[in-house]
Amino acid sequence: MSTPKSWICDGVPKNGQHYPNCSGPHPPQENYTPDCIICGLPREAMTGKKSPQGSKTVISGGRGSNLPGLAAIALVVLLLGGSAWYLFGRTREPEVVESNSGSFAVSPGAIDPLAKVSQTAVNAELISQGEKILFNPGINFNQKAAGATAFSQNNWTEAIAQYQQAAQTDPNDPEAKIYFNNSKAKQAGNPLTIAVVVPISASENSAKEVLRGVALQQERYNNSPQLPGRLLEVVIVNESSPGKAPSLAEDLIQSPNVLGVMGHGVDAASREAIARYERAQLAVLSPISTSISSTVPGESILKTISLSQKANELFANYLEGVGKTLATYADKNNSPASVVVFYNSDSPYSQQLKDAFSAALVQTNGQVVKDVDITQGGFNP
């Protein structure tokens, strides 16, 4: 296969066309892809030739752009957490609109790349890119509060300074680090935006653990010399209660700049949220769920991108490893072990982990004397 010819982009269209989602002029950048990796302009914008009447020009920067890079970062963060369940939705097709010079294909809702999700969200108080503090006050709260004020006013220079100080005051605070990098991404313009849904209200420590991995990978991504151009921005979403998941999903779906979502759990509301992402064709990865199902939405997408077999191998190995660890612990404390297993039949992950543990226990000459389904009526913990 021949190598694609390179082309140079400086962010200024040469064909007389208007590209509303382009981030503007920049130093000359050599590209090998159809769209510029810095500003999103298509190759034809640099040709000096106007598009033929009736042809389509794709404006990048919406949900369909840069998803390979997004997937790479999401997978790194996902593997960092140690357990994963993959679900890749397709990106929605561009919407065709008419103009005087012909038809243009414009990514739906791609109006302002610097917009904040909470500006139009029903659950605005639970969503932040840096304009509000979602975690309980800590030793750096005053600096974070000042950063939030500056961020809400689009004063990126001051937001960067305040959040940088906050991150230095408490290096273990992932919120400060993410907002610091978000401020730099906003200042650079036209960021790549993903959302991470975590249970801050219900389990602040667990939420921070997830976000520490996200903050680390966001910083690595934005500082990587192999990935120049648009910086990664992370929207933090507080899933204040399990029942909020579907409503939060709708807020993220309605935001045109969100390219993908990480988060949610194994409960029914989370599965409903994931189904909504799939229907909206928005990419989603759930890093704290490890269920393997042949009927999950998006399985055909996994097969299409040749990840299904590898993903199933990864998940099966993970479940087997956890089962063996639990069985070894039980055998060490009381050999041969007799065990009562409590599980949730409404959760595929819980059911599969129970089966993996039971199988491993048999290998140590132990036995499960009783299975208790906590979803059954009359269960008293």
Side-chain angles (χ1 to χ4, degrees):
M1 184 174 64
S2 60
T3 303
K5 293 182 179 179
S6 65
W7 58 285
I8 303 297
C9 178
D10 60 7
V12 180
K14 306 298 189 297
N15 61 352
Q17 302 285 20
H18 178 56
Y19 298 86
N21 203 45
C22 172
S23 61
H26 57 78
Q29 170 66 42
E30 185 176 17
N31 296 284
Y32 292 86
T33 55
D35 296 340
C36 176
I37 63 174
I38 293 181
C39 68
L41 279 178
R43 179 172 187 154
E44 66 181 44
M46 295 292 108
T47 63
K49 299 178 181 179
K50 289 190 175 182
S51 302
Q53 183 74 17
S55 67
K56 297 180 181 179
T57 302
V58 175
I59 310 301
S60 64
R63 302 198 180 193
S65 65
N66 291 282
L67 279 179
L70 167 66
I73 288 302
L75 285 171
V76 171
V77 176
L78 196 63
L79 294 174
L80 185 70
S83 61
W85 177 79
Y86 297 74
L87 173 59
F88 288 95
R90 294 170 294 172
T91 56
R92 59 180 70 180
E93 293 297 322
E95 176 183 295
V96 177
V97 297
E98 297 295 326
S99 75
N100 293 332
S101 58
S103 297
F104 294 84
V106 183
S107 298
I111 300 173
D112 179 9
L114 299 181
K116 303 176 184 70
V117 177
S118 63
Q119 290 175 329
T120 56
V122 172
N123 302 286
E125 74 282 0
L126 302 176
I127 300 172
S128 177
Q129 286 151 272
E131 69 274 19
K132 65 176 67 71
I133 307 304
L134 299 179
F135 284 85
N136 289 323
I139 60 176
N140 59 356
F141 180 73
N142 290 338
Q143 295 160 336
K144 289 171 68 174
T149 299
F151 196 99
S152 64
Q153 297 171 350
N154 292 354
N155 185 349
W156 312 127
T157 300
E158 180 64 15
I160 290 171
Q162 292 294 339
Y163 279 129
Q164 184 175 32
Q165 290 182 26
Q168 291 171 347
T169 300
D170 185 0
N172 207 32
D173 180 3
E175 185 181 36
K177 292 182 178 181
I178 287 173
Y179 293 164
F180 167 57
N181 280 291
N182 284 355
S183 300
K184 292 197 294 183
K186 289 293 193 188
Q187 185 180 63
N190 201 24
L192 296 167
T193 305
I194 66 170
V196 179
V197 183
V198 287
I200 297 175
S201 297
S203 181
E204 184 168 311
N205 287 334
S206 296
K208 284 184 176 180
E209 283 298 311
V210 173
L211 291 177
R212 286 184 184 113
V214 172
L216 175 63
Q217 295 306 323
Q218 180 190 26
E219 184 172 358
R220 286 179 176 175
Y221 181 91
N222 288 350
N223 293 330
S224 172
Q226 287 77 34
L227 295 167
R230 300 168 67 185
L231 301 181
L232 180 66
E233 174 188 40
V234 176
V235 182
I236 300 178
V237 182
N238 175 15
E239 190 176 78
S240 57
S241 64
K244 275 286 187 182
S247 179
L248 291 170
E250 287 299 326
D251 283 335
L252 299 177
I253 289 168
Q254 294 305 317
S255 177
N257 295 329
V258 175
L259 298 175
V261 180
M262 291 183 58
H264 299 295
V266 297
D267 56 276
S270 292
R271 295 201 296 275
E272 169 60 23
I274 291 173
R276 294 191 183 198
Y277 294 128
E278 171 68 11
R279 290 194 294 270
Q281 300 181 325
L282 178 60
V284 56
L285 303 117
S286 183
I288 58 174
S289 171
T290 56
S291 59
I292 307 169
S293 171
S294 60
T295 59
V296 296
E299 184 190 27
S300 60
I301 304 301
L302 287 174
K303 289 180 178 178
T304 300
I305 60 177
S306 303
L307 284 177
S308 182
Q309 182 178 356
K310 291 296 183 182
N312 282 336
E313 290 176 1
L314 171 64
F315 303 147
N317 290 338
Y318 168 78
L319 289 171
E320 182 181 0
V322 173
K324 287 182 178 179
T325 299
L326 293 174
T328 300
Y329 176 81
D331 182 67
K332 180 179 178 180
N333 283 274
N334 188 10
S335 183
S338 296
V339 179
V340 177
V341 177
F342 295 82
Y343 73 103
N344 181 353
S345 63
D346 189 46
S347 165
Y349 163 67
S350 181
Q351 179 72 53
Q352 291 161 5
L353 183 56
K354 175 183 76 72
D355 294 342
F357 170 61
S358 299
L361 192 63
V362 171
Q363 301 301 316
T364 65
N365 295 319
Q367 62 174 333
V368 175
V369 296
K370 189 175 184 179
D371 289 333
V372 180
D373 183 359
I374 63 174
T375 66
Q376 296 301 308
F379 171 70
N380 184 346

